[in-house]
Amino acid sequence: MQKGTFFCVDAHTCGNPVRLVTSGHPHLNGNSMSEKRQHFLQEYDWIRQALMFEPRGHDMMSGAFLYPPCSDNADASILFIETSGCLPMCGHGTIGTVTAAIESGLLVAKTPGQLILDVPAGQIRIEYQQTADKVDWVKIYNVAAYLAHQDQILDIPGLGPLKVDVSYGGNYYVIVDPQTNFPGLRHWSAGDILKWSPIVRAIAQEQLTCVHPDDPTVSGISHVLWTGDTISEGSDGANAVFYGDKAIDRSPCGTGTSARLAQLFTKGLLNVGDEYTHESIIGSQFVGRIEAVTQVGNFPAIMPSIKGWARITGQNAITVDDNDPYAFGFQVV
């Protein structure tokens, strides 16, 4: 029995893949994208696994479905899928999805240069610049970001104690700044990041509770963000974000940049109106900005924006047939 053929527009955002799935959308129940996300996870997660994992995807693969808007004021909705799960929000995924959808004629803004999108984490606003048929850049006005835990000590077997923060920017991030047992991003190899990140995440998940005050379905630490020295001109900070089971974000990470801005703001290192050019492990850049101050539950929070670019790399049609023993994907961890 053939499960389906999925047509896709493949792209990358500052180096990290985005696969916009343009057919085979399952009907999802719910009045919000948060509710629709839960339905997808309960009944249709096989689609995510088939399209994101090997042999049709790879460890860094990330993707999205466009859906009709849930809100009267929105242009569309996005459901995010990637190897690490069905995320509440994905910044690089949004930039890639918007770019691929507009350039392919799949999304037409009510107001040129502006979009309002419903995502599982809430509602976001978009500005973009288009020259002829190409999108030059996309700027996301993201959901509120806040620092959930500050200066927590995690004892990491084989490495030693690490002082970490946990910040929310659409997903929860353990943030590790340079210190005695972590000399900084540029002094560790990608192998070091892949080795220690799952351990740090698991211990943080055990010791630190993270549940969004406004949506209890958004919970748990999913990402680890390591910081360090920059390599690109104009960068204010660098990061390598670990996600999934063995993935390092090639982009500067949109929700990670939002989480980083919230951390730096709460610690008094950035102010409202400040811009922060954030660099990825490969040197690509997002420009983050603290747009306003707000509140998330009892936490002081910020409204961040992230500006970046994406490029289409191709189109494909992916067949999922359960006659294939690897129809629903696999990982070699």
Side-chain angles (χ1 to χ4, degrees):
M1 174 184 172
Q2 184 171 310
K3 293 293 184 182
T5 298
F6 299 87
F7 292 91
C8 309
V9 179
D10 280 353
H12 75 89
T13 302
C14 289
N16 214 52
V18 180
R19 173 168 285 167
L20 175 58
V21 188
T22 62
S23 71
H25 296 54
H27 174 76
L28 299 177
N29 298 326
N31 295 319
S32 67
M33 285 310 294
S34 178
E35 292 176 358
K36 291 177 187 292
R37 171 177 174 254
Q38 295 305 309
H39 184 201
F40 183 90
L41 286 168
Q42 291 163 10
E43 294 192 29
Y44 299 107
D45 202 44
W46 66 267
I47 298 175
R48 177 187 68 85
Q49 294 172 17
L51 298 182
M52 298 293 104
F53 292 147
E54 296 181 65
R56 296 163 189 81
H58 51 74
D59 291 323
M60 269 59 64
M61 184 55 74
S62 181
F65 284 93
L66 271 180
Y67 276 91
C70 297
S71 307
D72 292 339
N73 67 328
D75 294 84
S77 301
I78 303 179
L79 179 78
F80 301 105
I81 54 174
E82 65 172 47
T83 52
S84 65
C86 186
L87 296 180
M89 175 57 191
C90 182
H92 99 272
T94 300
I95 293 169
T97 295
V98 168
T99 299
I102 290 174
E103 290 187 4
S104 301
L106 300 169
L107 179 60
V108 178
K110 297 176 184 177
T111 303
Q114 300 180 33
L115 292 166
I116 295 175
L117 301 172
D118 293 318
V119 299
Q123 191 173 84
I124 58 175
R125 184 167 64 88
I126 301 292
E127 293 178 354
Y128 66 91
Q129 177 175 289
Q130 186 173 2
T131 303
D133 60 346
K134 298 295 184 183
V135 175
D136 303 314
W137 52 259
V138 175
K139 184 175 183 179
I140 304 167
Y141 292 85
N142 198 13
V143 296
Y146 73 99
L147 187 61
H149 296 280
Q150 185 171 340
D151 297 334
Q152 300 293 309
I153 304 298
L154 305 180
D155 189 15
I156 311 301
L159 185 62
L162 284 180
K163 183 168 72 171
V164 305
D165 297 323
V166 178
S167 192
Y168 176 81
N171 303 288
Y172 285 101
Y173 288 77
V174 179
I175 300 178
V176 190
D177 288 310
Q179 55 195 276
T180 301
N181 292 320
F182 169 57
L185 168 61
R186 302 303 171 187
H187 300 280
W188 268 18
S189 68
D192 292 327
I193 294 168
L194 293 172
K195 174 183 177 180
W196 293 111
S197 293
I199 300 169
V200 170
R201 181 174 62 187
I203 292 173
Q205 183 81 317
E206 286 178 10
Q207 297 184 16
L208 305 172
T209 301
C210 293
V211 180
H212 196 283
D214 299 328
D215 185 352
T217 69
V218 178
S219 63
I221 297 167
S222 52
H223 296 64
V224 183
L225 189 157
W226 305 87
T227 77
D229 296 332
T230 63
I231 58 173
S232 294
E233 184 178 352
S235 295
D236 296 304
N239 83 106
V241 164
F242 173 86
Y243 64 97
D245 291 317
K246 53 176 181 176
I248 299 174
D249 199 332
R250 274 62 170 156
S251 85
C253 189
T255 57
T257 298
S258 299
R260 180 73 164 150
L261 291 174
Q263 176 211 31
L264 295 174
F265 172 80
T266 304
K267 292 192 164 188
L269 300 174
L270 286 177
N271 298 308
V272 175
D274 285 349
E275 288 191 346
Y276 187 84
T277 300
H278 210 198
E279 173 186 296
S280 73
I281 193 170
I282 65 170
S284 58
Q285 296 170 320
F286 285 165
V287 178
R289 188 176 189 272
I290 300 177
E291 300 290 342
V293 175
T294 186
Q295 194 89 1
V296 174
N298 295 321
F299 297 94
I302 62 164
M303 300 302 297
S305 67
I306 313 99
K307 182 180 178 181
W309 55 267
R311 299 291 184 269
I312 291 176
T313 57
Q315 292 82 27
N316 60 42
I318 300 174
T319 298
V320 180
D321 186 334
D322 63 6
N323 186 52
D324 178 354
Y326 303 123
F328 307 117
F330 63 84
Q331 287 182 290
V332 180
V333 181

